Amino acid sequence: MSTPERLTRKQRQEHTRSCLLAAAGRVFARRGLAQASVDEVAADAGFTKGAVYANFGSKEELFLAMLDVRFAHRLDEMDRALSTGESPEVQARAAGRDFIDYLAVDPEWERLFFEAALHASRDEEFRGKLHHRYAQMRERMAGILRARAEAGGFDPGVPFDQLATMIFAMANGVAFERLVEPAAVPDELFSTMLEMFTLGAFSRQGDGVADGDPA
């Protein structure tokens, strides 16, 4: 019988951080950022409060780091969906399905995202930090869209950062509607929205101002 391999110090730190981030998602979704405590997160993860502060400077930093992981995962999934050889509208439907599947697998996400927005509306310092992360996410999304457009010889006539904002706005709207009235939002709705959005973008190709061009 082999003995388990001992983890290095770095591996233990990464494991602890991962456990804390997972616990943060559960606790913040259940209690809200304002009401949740560092002690609750630590207890949920099976660690002491000291483990939290050894990895994160504050409760808000822990919350933002937890959002970072989820943002990065969503963008990776979007990049993957848009990297196939399928037509743009088929890729759009796949990206929409991936998003809905993600919400089903991670039901905490909707509550966490809107919890972040609510807290940002009341805390200027937190709002600045959230804005910075959201801007980075939008920039990466714009880069994904730009790369796909260039590969397909497609000019939407709209700056790519605006296209990214449109897609985020649709995704956030669908997430909100699912949270408030899930029965009114069928699973295929977002896929249909993205498909129609993509076809509409193609229909106006070259009619607008290209990304980076002066108006």
Side-chain angles (χ1 to χ4, degrees), residues 104-178:
V105 172
D106 186 8
E108 300 164 352
W109 171 243
E110 292 159 302
R111 295 190 297 274
L112 290 169
F113 182 81
F114 292 115
E115 176 67 24
L118 180 62
H119 192 73
S121 71
R122 297 169 174 166
D123 188 313
E124 185 174 351
E125 181 179 356
F126 182 85
R127 182 167 63 251
K129 294 177 180 178
L130 182 63
H131 171 266
H132 175 69
R133 284 167 166 79
Y134 207 72
Q136 287 182 320
M137 186 173 69
R138 183 173 58 250
E139 182 180 351
R140 185 181 167 195
M141 184 68 212
I144 292 172
L145 296 172
R146 183 181 294 106
R148 301 299 169 259
E150 290 175 351
F154 167 60
D155 173 16
V158 177
F160 288 102
D161 63 335
Q162 291 185 13
L163 285 180
T165 299
M166 293 176 196
I167 292 172
F168 288 165
M170 285 190 290
N172 296 341
V174 167
F176 180 80
E177 295 296 332
R178 280 172 54 89

Side-chain angles (χ1 to χ4, degrees), residues 74-99 140-152 154 160 163-164 167-168 190-191 194-195 197-198 202:
R74 284 305 312 133
L75 288 172
D76 287 343
E77 289 295 308
M78 180 68 78
D79 195 8
R80 182 192 60 78
L82 298 180
S83 297
T84 68
E86 303 286 351
S87 64
E89 60 269 25
V90 172
Q91 291 181 342
R93 290 197 69 87
R97 285 193 299 272
D98 283 350
F99 180 69
R140 185 181 167 195
M141 184 68 212
I144 292 172
L145 296 172
R146 183 181 294 106
R148 301 299 169 259
E150 290 175 351
F154 167 60
F160 288 102
L163 285 180
I167 292 172
F168 288 165
F190 189 48
S191 291
L194 285 183
E195 180 184 19
F197 175 78
T198 301
F202 267 91

